[in-house]
Amino acid sequence: MSVYLSDVVSGSAVGLRGRLWRLSAAELRAAAVEASAEILRLEAVRVAVVDELAMRPDDQVIASRGVGAWLAANTMLQVRDGKKIAALGAALRPFPAVAARFDCGDCSFDHAVLIVAFCESPPKGMPEEALPKCIDLLLAAASGVEATTTKVRNVIATLERLFESDEIPPAEDVDLNELRIASTLNGRVVVRGDFDALTGEMLLSALSNLTMPTPAPDGTPDARSAAKRTADGFTELIRRYLDCAKTGTDGGQRPHVNVHINARDLAEHRDCAASSDGEESASDLDVGHMPWLGPLSVSQTRLLGCDCFLSTVLLDDHGAPLDAKPGKRLVTAEQRTALIARDRGCAFPGCTCVPAWTDAHHIRHWANGGPTVMNNLVLLCRSHHRLMHRRSGFVGKWEIRIGVDNKPWFIPPPSIDPGQHPRPANTTFKT
């Protein structure tokens, strides 16, 4: 890295915009990454210093009624943010493994908050000896450039469902469900609701196709906001329900909700997967999985299994679906079900697109003799699918291979990773 580039990161931002034109795109990327790493480093330093001050407060801190309020009074932080910094410092004390990862800049502030919150209030059915393994799983999801809040929350939700107790998890307690509909003074209607995960899964599934962006006939992108599209989709959902005039019948078909779970786990739930020997990934934990809202406890999955349409997917030892129907150009409904069970959404590293908004991409194009079989298919969101096929300078640079585990791996171009190290699919990460 050039001396000038180092000065960009370590110096002031005053007048910087007028000098950045001298840097190449590669240098700008490097500066952005280094500045982000520096922010993480300084954030960890601030948490450590504030925590030490909290344990040895002087008159100024005492007069401010706490180190968080003192920090806010002497910086441009809000009081709530100062208190969050002080709270994280105190919460990290009993969990040195989390503190060490945060201090070295490999775990963000928000992810550290989520992890220590889980550690402080673990599921009631979780034995104490399982906590270190759970921390390892959480840190694996929270570490590195591929870490996302979605991954961390998904692991937390999975662990909460895994260690079931006699109490119903809040996410599955239907007694907590609320829906308030009230008219306003100007004649509009306000709707506020709070539902269990299964009801939310049904709602999101019903709204999925109705809320997607719809370009104009001339190709102009949909100008509606996400909230406006959701409102329009909800209106259309109600209209279709009333047009069909179907209010449900006794013994009729259950709602169309997809829940994925291993047949072994549906029949017999292991007591403590997190205490097993060897490496464990979050995808190996014995819980059900819903495409929209993620983990579902085994007990709730079994309840749904008492009255449902059961689809089976044959899996190999690695948990990858096997395909016995080659030679078709278009992906069948059965193959798409199997792809969703394997990829759980867009498989491109770093993408969080849900299965409903993905396409089945032929790794070797069918026009070039690529068969429509599981080992030649991968789920990609519309954006990444388009990039793989159409984007100038992108086609052919990213390579997709099916690994020995029968799951997709992505090999970046040298411009992104000179070593071209294979990257696992977005939903696959190991401890």
Side-chain angles (χ1 to χ4, degrees):
M1 182 177 293
S2 67
V3 175
Y4 180 76
L5 184 55
S6 299
D7 293 341
V8 169
V9 177
S10 61
S12 171
V14 176
L16 179 62
R17 294 176 184 272
R19 305 194 306 271
L20 289 177
W21 63 270
R22 302 176 185 175
L23 301 183
S24 65
E27 289 175 318
L28 289 172
R29 291 199 309 271
V33 171
E34 185 174 339
S36 299
E38 186 70 3
I39 290 172
L40 289 177
R41 184 188 71 81
L42 291 174
E43 204 160 36
V45 169
R46 182 170 61 180
V47 169
V49 171
V50 168
D51 187 46
E52 183 67 22
L53 187 57
M55 293 188 288
R56 295 189 291 120
D58 60 6
D59 290 342
Q60 290 192 38
V61 173
I62 294 173
S64 298
R65 301 179 64 182
V67 67
W70 169 84
L71 182 64
N74 289 272
T75 63
M76 289 188 287
L77 291 173
Q78 299 296 310
V79 174
R80 64 176 180 274
D81 296 325
K83 290 184 176 180
K84 284 178 61 177
I85 293 169
L88 177 59
L92 286 172
R93 296 174 202 165
F95 307 108
V98 183
R101 195 69 65 90
F102 176 68
D103 290 344
C104 72
D106 200 30
C107 179
S108 71
F109 183 98
D110 292 336
H111 292 169
V113 169
L114 289 173
I115 294 173
V116 295
F118 173 87
C119 295
E120 289 177 332
S121 301
K124 293 184 178 180
M126 187 183 79
E128 292 184 7
E129 59 270 19
L131 183 59
K133 184 63 176 179
C134 292
I135 292 177
D136 290 342
L137 286 169
L138 290 166
L139 289 176
S143 301
V145 296
E146 296 181 355
T148 63
T149 301
T150 300
K151 281 186 176 180
V152 178
R153 290 186 181 278
N154 186 69
V155 174
I156 291 174
T158 300
L159 293 172
E160 288 175 344
R161 306 305 186 279
L162 175 64
F163 296 104
E164 298 180 52
S165 64
D166 293 335
E167 296 185 5
I168 301 174
E172 298 174 9
D173 190 351
V174 296
D175 290 337
L176 300 178
N177 289 1
E178 294 180 343
L179 180 63
R180 293 185 173 89
I181 304 175
S183 59
T184 63
L185 294 177
N186 61 0
R188 296 185 63 80
V189 174
V190 175
V191 180
R192 291 190 178 94
D194 182 4
F195 297 101
D196 62 283
L198 182 57
T199 302
E201 181 77 12
M202 289 189 289
L203 179 60
L204 291 173
S205 297
L207 289 173
S208 174
N209 290 332
L210 302 177
T211 58
M212 295 182 66
T214 305
D218 62 356
T220 304
D222 195 333
R224 297 176 299 168
S225 66
K228 182 63 168 64
R229 295 200 311 270
T230 302
D232 291 346
F234 190 66
T235 301
E236 180 62 21
L237 182 66
I238 297 172
R239 181 181 294 112
R240 293 185 183 186
Y241 173 80
L242 295 177
D243 287 345
C244 292
K246 293 181 179 180
T247 58
T249 58
D250 291 339
Q253 183 176 335
R254 297 297 301 274
H256 296 278
V257 174
N258 291 318
V259 178
H260 306 140
I261 188 168
N262 293 331
R264 174 197 62 193
D265 302 331
L266 186 62
E268 182 179 2
H269 183 215
R270 286 187 291 174
D271 292 333
C272 183
S275 63
S276 61
D277 296 331
E279 290 190 352
E280 190 99 39
S281 74
S283 60
D284 296 327
L285 300 181
D286 300 339
V287 295
H289 180 86
M290 298 183 294
W292 283 101
L293 293 178
L296 189 69
S297 68
V298 173
S299 61
Q300 183 76 351
T301 307
R302 288 174 181 162
L303 187 151
L304 293 174
C306 293
D307 181 14
C308 70
F309 286 92
L310 181 65
S311 298
T312 59
V313 178
L314 183 62
L315 307 177
D316 64 11
D317 293 338
H318 299 288
L322 299 174
D323 192 306
K325 299 179 180 179
K328 296 180 178 63
R329 171 185 171 184
L330 298 179
V331 175
T332 65
E334 291 81 5
Q335 286 174 320
R336 184 167 180 84
T337 300
L339 285 170
I340 292 174
R342 184 191 71 187
D343 297 345
R344 296 187 179 183
C346 180
F348 196 90
C351 187
T352 58
C353 188
V354 296
W357 295 347
T358 59
D359 298 328
H361 169 67
H362 285 72
I363 297 175
R364 180 186 177 193
H365 199 272
W366 64 268
N368 297 326
T372 305
V373 296
M374 289 299 298
N375 280 354
N376 194 47
L377 297 172
V378 62
L379 287 184
L380 294 175
C381 67
R382 191 59 54 84
S383 295
H384 285 121
H385 199 185
R386 187 183 300 112
L387 286 173
M388 286 293 180
H389 280 281
R390 300 178 184 175
R391 182 70 177 268
S392 175
F394 195 92
V395 177
K397 291 190 174 182
W398 277 86
E399 184 180 353
I400 307 175
R401 295 179 184 173
I402 299 297
V404 295
D405 56 358
N406 281 332
K407 296 181 180 180
W409 289 74
F410 293 75
I411 302 175
S415 60
I416 293 179
D417 180 5
Q420 292 192 283
H421 300 97
R423 301 183 181 184
N426 187 47
T427 54
T428 305
F429 55 97
K430 298 289 185 181
T431 55

